[in-house]
Amino acid sequence: MLAHGAVHTYEMAVPLFVVVWLTEFEVISLGLATFDVTTATVGVIVTLGYGLFGLGALPGGIMVDRLGSRRLISACLFGMGLSYILLGLAPNMVVVAAALVLWGASASVYHPAGLSLISKGVEERGTGLAYHGIAGNVGIGLGPLLATVLLLFVEWRTVALVLGAPALLAAVYASQANFDETAAVEAPETAADGGSAGESKAGSGVDSLGEFLTESRRLFAGSFVLVFVVVMCSGLYYRGVLTFLPELLRGLPGFEPIPVSSLLPGSVGSALGVEAGGGQTLKPQDYFYSGLLLVGVLGQYAGGKLTDRIPVEYGIAGAFGGLAVLALLFVPVSNAGIVPLMALGAVLGVLLFVVQPMYQATVAEYTPSGTRGLSYGFTYLGVFGVGALGGTIAGGILAFADATALFLALAGFAVVGSLLGLVLGRRAAV
């Protein structure tokens, strides 16, 4: 839970920095070529880090089955802390890109390691996923909120340095932790549509390229291929809606910057170094963004509990259906005023995260325990690797079209996810 919160704190602080980068930097110089800093180019840079966050999940999943979760979670925390320290020292967008690449590579091993640990070490899997998800959403919501408050008083580089330090301390703690990683595994185990544990690797993961290909073919020969497309849709929607959300909100009525001095008595402002007419301003879009993410705690808890009570396939179909409707409503509601938009944002925050424990549990249902790390590696390759393209897609659409086109594309991803949930549910009922 500690590591999960840290991963998402760093992940979701990036969109807050994007707004600053778009105004502070003018060009990206690569020596032989120079590019203007726009939503499209920044979207590509952010995708480098977010893409590695997903692409590294597959080798991370293989390593989990061989090395165990504790070692990889410790390495993940250490690498993430270093990446944010590098980000805090970045003089230009090239170094920003390098820091995001380091973060993505380090963070990529977390989800295969953490979810493999829960799926094999916790008997009440749905409840375990719920609490794990809550920790992630606390990081998702409170991390950006902390960054937002700090940005009132210090520059973004200092904020990055402050955020980087706790991960290094957490890495020390994680390296000392000791527990039974397979306490909830029963043998022999039969996985839905994934074959029995005796037919697959019993508990040692894959040892060679040949075994990797064999186990991968075994996974994708059944309904896991549909689960994989579902998680891709989740990742594309998630990254597509969140990467530029603060930037989208910035231009809407009701989101005008508010001078901090106007909210404080003169004596209090002077004591805090906030002068009347000074440059410190509250940016309502950042607080809206943080609040939406924090509300996701309710979604994670509800989604986790529902996985123990309803067929997860139909839960996935319903959640994605709701996300499609919200995408179609976002632009009209945003034009109706800040209060209706806040209501829609609260529902979006819940549904955006309801689906996560559902597809995490679905992966466990459709795969054998012996290659659970590999299974979650493929899962987060889809969620955060392929899903990272959501940032590039969103940036490109906003650069050449508008918000309406973006949310129509997001609705399309959600519709595909909902339909596949229904297909999985019907197959499971046969």
Side-chain angles (χ1 to χ4, degrees):
M1 290 172 67
L2 178 64
H4 194 203
V7 166
H8 290 299
T9 291
Y10 297 135
E11 174 199 5
M12 303 317 300
V14 170
L16 296 175
F17 294 145
V18 164
V19 178
V20 182
W21 297 335
L22 286 169
T23 57
E24 179 170 332
F25 299 110
E26 296 183 357
V27 297
I28 303 168
S29 177
L30 300 179
L32 297 177
T34 300
F35 302 91
D36 291 334
V37 173
T38 66
T39 57
T41 54
V42 172
V44 171
I45 286 176
V46 171
T47 297
L48 291 176
Y50 283 159
L52 277 177
F53 185 26
L55 294 174
L58 182 54
I62 295 171
M63 288 189 290
V64 168
D65 290 328
R66 297 299 304 158
L67 303 176
S69 295
R70 180 183 60 79
R71 294 177 183 176
L72 291 181
I73 291 174
S74 301
C76 163
L77 287 164
F78 184 72
M80 290 194 303
L82 288 181
S83 72
Y84 258 65
I85 289 173
L86 178 60
L87 187 64
L89 301 174
N92 53 54
M93 285 300 294
V94 174
V95 180
V96 166
L100 293 180
V101 166
L102 176 58
W103 173 81
S106 302
S108 66
V109 301
Y110 174 71
H111 284 92
L115 292 169
S116 179
L117 178 62
I118 291 173
S119 71
K120 295 193 292 185
V122 179
E123 292 182 357
E124 295 183 16
R125 184 181 295 153
T127 299
L129 289 171
Y131 286 120
H132 176 260
I134 287 171
N137 271 89
V138 169
I140 283 173
L142 292 184
L145 181 59
L146 172 62
T148 297
V149 173
L150 289 174
L151 285 169
L152 287 173
F153 305 102
V154 296
E155 67 166 359
W156 69 271
R157 292 181 179 85
T158 304
V159 175
L161 292 172
V162 170
L163 291 178
L168 299 179
L169 297 175
V172 175
Y173 169 76
S175 67
Q176 303 302 314
N178 189 24
F179 38 79
D180 183 358
E181 297 190 19
T182 59
V185 174
E186 296 180 3
E189 175 183 332
T190 301
D193 204 33
S196 68
E199 295 170 352
S200 184
K201 297 287 290 178
S204 60
V206 295
D207 298 315
S208 65
L209 176 60
E211 288 183 356
F212 166 73
L213 295 175
T214 298
E215 295 303 319
S216 298
R217 283 194 295 267
R218 191 188 303 276
L219 285 174
F220 283 94
S223 293
F224 179 76
V225 66
L226 298 181
V227 177
F228 184 72
V229 179
V230 166
V231 300
M232 284 170 50
C233 291
S234 177
L236 288 166
Y237 189 105
Y238 176 86
R239 198 64 71 203
V241 76
L242 292 179
T243 299
F244 290 98
L245 183 59
E247 179 67 13
L248 283 171
L249 296 173
R250 188 164 65 98
L252 295 177
F255 287 90
E256 296 83 5
I258 302 171
V260 175
S261 60
S262 68
L263 304 175
L264 299 174
S267 58
V268 175
S270 297
L272 295 176
V274 178
E275 300 296 334
Q280 297 99 328
T281 59
L282 292 177
K283 298 179 176 62
Q285 71 270 15
D286 292 349
Y287 294 93
F288 182 99
Y289 171 78
S290 298
L292 181 151
L293 297 174
L294 195 55
V295 167
V297 169
L298 301 177
Q300 287 278 10
Y301 184 79
K305 285 296 186 180
L306 285 172
T307 63
D308 290 330
R309 291 170 170 77
I310 66 171
V312 289
E313 297 89 349
Y314 290 114
I316 286 172
F320 272 112
L323 288 171
V325 172
L326 292 176
L328 294 175
L329 291 176
F330 189 91
V331 172
V333 170
S334 66
N335 292 328
I338 191 170
V339 174
L341 184 58
M342 288 176 66
L344 184 144
V347 179
L348 176 62
V350 171
L351 283 182
L352 198 59
F353 294 97
V354 158
V355 72
Q356 293 188 5
M358 289 183 174
Y359 69 63
Q360 290 163 1
T362 303
V363 172
E365 292 292 331
Y366 284 84
T367 60
S369 67
T371 51
R372 192 63 49 76
L374 176 64
S375 304
Y376 281 118
F378 275 116
T379 297
Y380 283 91
L381 171 64
V383 173
F384 293 129
V386 178
L389 294 175
T392 298
I393 292 169
I397 291 175
L398 291 175
F400 299 104
D402 56 17
T404 299
L406 170 60
F407 282 96
L408 283 174
L410 295 177
F413 297 141
V415 167
V416 172
S418 182
L419 292 175
L420 289 177
L422 292 175
V423 171
L424 284 168
R426 290 177 180 175
R427 285 192 176 189
V430 176

